[in-house]
Amino acid sequence: MAIRKTAGYAWNLISLVGMILALTATGLIIGFVALEVITGVEHAYLGIMTYFIFPGMLIFGLLLVPIGAWRVRNQRRQAVIEGMVSLEEEIPKFPRLDLNEPARRHLFIFFVVATAVFVVIVAVAAIKGYEFTESTTFCGELCHPVMTPEHTAWSNSPHAKVKCVECHVGPGAAWYVKAKISGMKQLYAVVFHTYPETIETPIENLRPARDTCEHCHWPAKFYAGRQKNFYHYAPNEQNTPREIDLLIRIGGTPKTPNAMGIHWHIGREVHYISRDPKRLDIPYVAVSGNDGKITEYMSTDNPLTKEQIASSKKRLMDCTDCHNRPTHIYHSPAEEMDMNFVSGHIDPSLPYIKKVAVEILNRPYKTKEEGFATIASEIPAYYAKQYPKVAQEKAAAINQAVEHVKNVYERNFFPAMKVKWSTYPNHIGHFYTPGCFRCHDGKHKNAEGKVISKDCNLCHTILKQVQENVPAGTTPKNFVHPVDIGDEINRTNCSDCHMAEGHDVPGEGKTAEHGEAKKH
């Protein structure tokens, strides 16, 4: 009875349910936060419950308490007014706060203490909730399987320690609000399954790289050149190693009058028009000179009319026009096999292991499990049939190769979202996609007849090339193709052959070593 008297109007079913909900939510929030702090484990769905569902449950419970009390008080007051109930004292329209009465004083003290406790808990949940919405767990794992391909690619990239929001949102409240509004649309699409089977890129209205990338990659401190070795292995019986040592002409400080090299493109104002959403077909380029003069370059293959140029949207070139996959990087099966050879994960002495693995990986599979099963069965079966002695002597190496080929598939093929390594073009270089050759194709001319050069030495210089058809000890001035394709090397883009379905390089699907004819 004492508790009921102290509780007053709050002693009713609605208010009591609210109290139970609030206390339960408080306990769950404290427990789950403690679990996360102690274990260090951050899970997307636990985060949703801890920072959104339970705080919502707490606030809802707290709202029920005064609602129930007001409802009971209003009912009693109405009954007194209508004469249905007689009380010693009339119930006033608004509650009185008389701290001289012990029951009301105790209730007031309880209310103040409880309010302080709940405010602290809700504030902590709000701060942690904000941090959670900025985490890679929230961005990459909550919308499963929609974000599985991009999250997997990110987690295996050089930017795996960089949060999604640092690139996709950046600093400042304005872009944070824009991102959350966009996120609500994406949440709706996930809940009601209205998203496309394959998420389209590039992202429209992505924040310019000058506001995000350049916070870490500072143009004023760019260096002029970088030496890089590219290791490849031939798809023949010996998996013959090949090596290209390049000096890449990155360019020093780009925003100077004498800027040159690759980063010259962001030192000047370069605008372009693309015909397609993926920005692969670029028929128009405009370059602003140091004197402010604009030079226009038009593709001679399929030029735009003046009316089309005037009505088309011109994009200011920035880092992401070349580095369009700086984090969400997928690798072709051939690249992955090369990296596994270099790292020692796969034994290159296994005959034809690159060719066999690439062919199996490039087949279409309906599910990931089907791909795994095929890899696990066909690679050992190939050696058991073609090289029984190798199958016996190198059984452990074959099993290890199977596991790493499975890893290659898991990182670069996602049947559920109809995504594979070639779905999203990577504009760096020109091996698998047109990349640099979108503009540097020798076909973009200005009014004076000057063309945007296709000369490879503009961007890099060969320091060494080790290959079967390159004499030992010699350094070619220009790239030597491993298969003699004649003048096609100057007329055909690399990607025209390397991106062919089921093939990674000419001869890698049907190798010259197997006596197959070249397709040129």
Side-chain angles (χ1 to χ4, degrees):
M1 292 298 293
I3 296 175
R4 181 172 182 177
K5 186 176 180 181
T6 302
Y9 296 123
W11 190 263
N12 64 83
L13 182 60
I14 295 175
S15 297
L16 290 175
V17 168
M19 292 179 193
I20 293 170
L21 285 175
L23 290 171
T24 303
T26 300
L28 290 171
I29 291 170
I30 294 172
F32 277 67
V33 170
L35 176 67
E36 182 181 317
V37 171
I38 293 169
T39 63
V41 176
E42 189 179 78
H43 192 277
Y45 297 104
L46 287 180
I48 284 291
M49 289 189 291
T50 306
Y51 304 123
F52 294 98
I53 295 177
F54 295 154
M57 177 177 163
L58 170 60
I59 293 170
F60 178 69
L62 292 176
L63 290 174
L64 286 181
V65 175
I67 289 173
W70 174 84
R71 182 173 176 272
V72 170
R73 185 178 184 278
N74 192 55
Q75 286 175 345
R76 291 183 184 178
R77 183 173 181 272
Q78 192 65 31
V80 171
I81 293 172
E82 294 175 359
M84 297 174 63
V85 177
S86 60
L87 295 177
E88 295 179 0
E89 185 179 349
E90 183 182 352
I91 300 175
K93 185 176 181 180
F94 299 103
R96 292 192 185 101
L97 180 61
D98 188 354
L99 299 182
N100 292 309
E101 295 183 20
R104 293 189 180 183
R105 183 170 63 250
H106 295 159
L107 182 61
F108 177 76
I109 294 171
F110 172 78
F111 175 79
V112 171
V113 173
T115 299
V117 171
F118 288 136
V119 165
V120 170
I121 292 172
V122 171
V124 170
I127 293 170
K128 294 289 290 183
Y130 167 79
E131 291 179 356
F132 177 65
T133 61
E134 298 284 278
S135 69
T136 51
T137 302
F138 178 84
C139 297
E141 297 179 23
L142 184 62
C143 297
H144 186 83
V146 183
M147 291 305 298
T148 298
E150 298 290 58
H151 183 261
T152 303
W154 164 83
S155 62
N156 291 288
S157 79
H159 288 90
K161 296 295 183 182
V162 179
K163 291 183 179 180
C164 309
V165 293
E166 292 184 40
C167 297
H168 286 271
V169 181
W175 279 91
Y176 175 81
V177 172
K178 289 180 182 179
K180 296 313 169 189
I181 293 173
S182 174
M184 294 299 293
K185 298 176 183 177
Q186 294 164 13
L187 180 62
Y188 175 88
V190 171
V191 171
F192 294 98
H193 209 279
T194 59
Y195 58 85
E197 288 183 326
T198 302
I199 304 301
E200 292 296 328
T201 61
I203 300 171
E204 290 296 328
N205 302 316
L206 184 68
R207 191 169 186 179
R210 293 167 176 82
D211 297 339
T212 53
C213 308
E214 291 186 10
H215 281 270
C216 296
H217 301 276
W218 192 10
K221 299 297 180 182
F222 285 165
Y223 45 83
R226 177 190 177 192
Q227 185 178 355
K228 185 175 181 180
N229 287 332
F230 294 85
Y231 297 97
H232 302 285
Y233 290 79
N236 55 20
E237 187 175 26
Q238 298 78 25
N239 302 299
T240 306
R242 299 166 177 170
E243 179 185 350
I244 303 174
D245 187 2
L246 289 181
L247 175 63
I248 303 176
R249 303 177 186 276
I250 297 174
T253 306
K255 296 179 181 180
T256 58
N258 298 317
M260 58 187 302
I262 298 169
H263 284 159
W264 168 91
H265 295 82
I266 60 171
R268 298 285 184 88
E269 282 197 2
V270 179
H271 289 83
Y272 68 87
I273 296 173
S274 60
R275 279 197 179 95
D276 64 314
K278 291 188 181 293
R279 301 169 186 164
L280 289 169
D281 182 8
I282 300 177
Y284 171 90
V285 179
V287 181
S288 298
N290 293 327
D291 57 359
K293 180 183 177 182
I294 297 176
T295 304
E296 297 178 310
Y297 294 85
M298 302 281 289
S299 173
T300 55
D301 275 353
N302 190 9
L304 298 176
T305 64
K306 291 183 179 180
E307 291 76 17
Q308 287 174 321
I309 293 172
S311 61
S312 297
K313 182 180 178 180
K314 298 180 179 67
R315 174 176 166 82
L316 175 63
M317 188 175 187
D318 70 7
C319 309
T320 57
D321 287 293
C322 294
H323 299 272
N324 67 311
R325 309 295 299 178
T327 296
H328 305 287
I329 304 169
Y330 302 92
H331 296 285
S332 74
E335 286 179 298
E336 287 275 11
M337 290 301 294
D338 291 339
M339 289 187 283
N340 274 287
F341 287 147
V342 172
S343 63
H345 291 150
I346 295 179
D347 185 355
S349 68
L350 294 172
Y352 286 115
I353 183 60
K354 180 176 181 179
K355 176 183 179 297
V356 171
V358 168
E359 287 183 348
I360 293 174
L361 286 166
N362 271 325
R363 293 180 197 168
Y365 301 105
K366 293 182 179 179
T367 64
K368 180 173 68 174
E369 290 70 25
E370 182 185 350
F372 283 172
T374 303
I375 293 166
S377 62
E378 291 202 11
I379 292 179
Y382 172 81
Y383 287 103
K385 180 179 180 181
Q386 301 295 337
Y387 297 91
K389 187 176 180 181
V390 172
Q392 280 188 333
E393 295 177 351
K394 292 184 173 290
I398 293 171
N399 291 334
Q400 184 173 332
V402 167
E403 293 306 311
H404 284 286
V405 173
K406 283 183 180 179
N407 291 339
V408 171
Y409 185 84
E410 189 169 32
R411 287 193 297 267
N412 299 284
F413 294 84
F414 305 88
M417 288 298 294
K418 297 185 178 180
V419 170
K420 61 179 182 177
W421 67 271
S422 58
T423 301
Y424 301 114
N426 191 339
H427 299 322
I428 282 291
H430 45 73
F431 199 70
Y432 290 109
T433 64
C436 311
F437 294 151
R438 291 175 296 162
C439 302
H440 289 268
D441 58 357
K443 298 176 182 178
H444 284 70
K445 290 185 178 181
N446 65 8
E448 287 75 37
K450 182 181 178 182
V451 299
I452 300 178
S453 176
K454 195 180 180 181
D455 182 5
C456 296
N457 290 315
L458 285 174
C459 296
H460 51 68
T461 300
I462 293 179
L463 302 178
K464 182 177 70 172
Q465 186 173 1
V466 177
Q467 205 166 263
E468 307 95 294
N469 57 346
V470 176
T474 63
T475 302
K477 293 182 179 180
N478 297 300
F479 171 74
V480 178
H481 198 279
V483 178
D484 183 12
I485 59 174
D487 193 45
E488 286 294 334
I489 195 169
N490 298 317
R491 294 186 299 178
T492 304
N493 287 344
C494 309
S495 58
D496 291 345
C497 297
H498 289 255
M499 200 58 179
E501 185 67 30
H503 296 60
D504 281 310
V505 295
E508 292 211 358
K510 297 182 177 180
T511 63
E513 290 83 353
H514 278 180
E516 298 290 341
K518 301 186 295 295
K519 293 185 177 181
H520 287 287

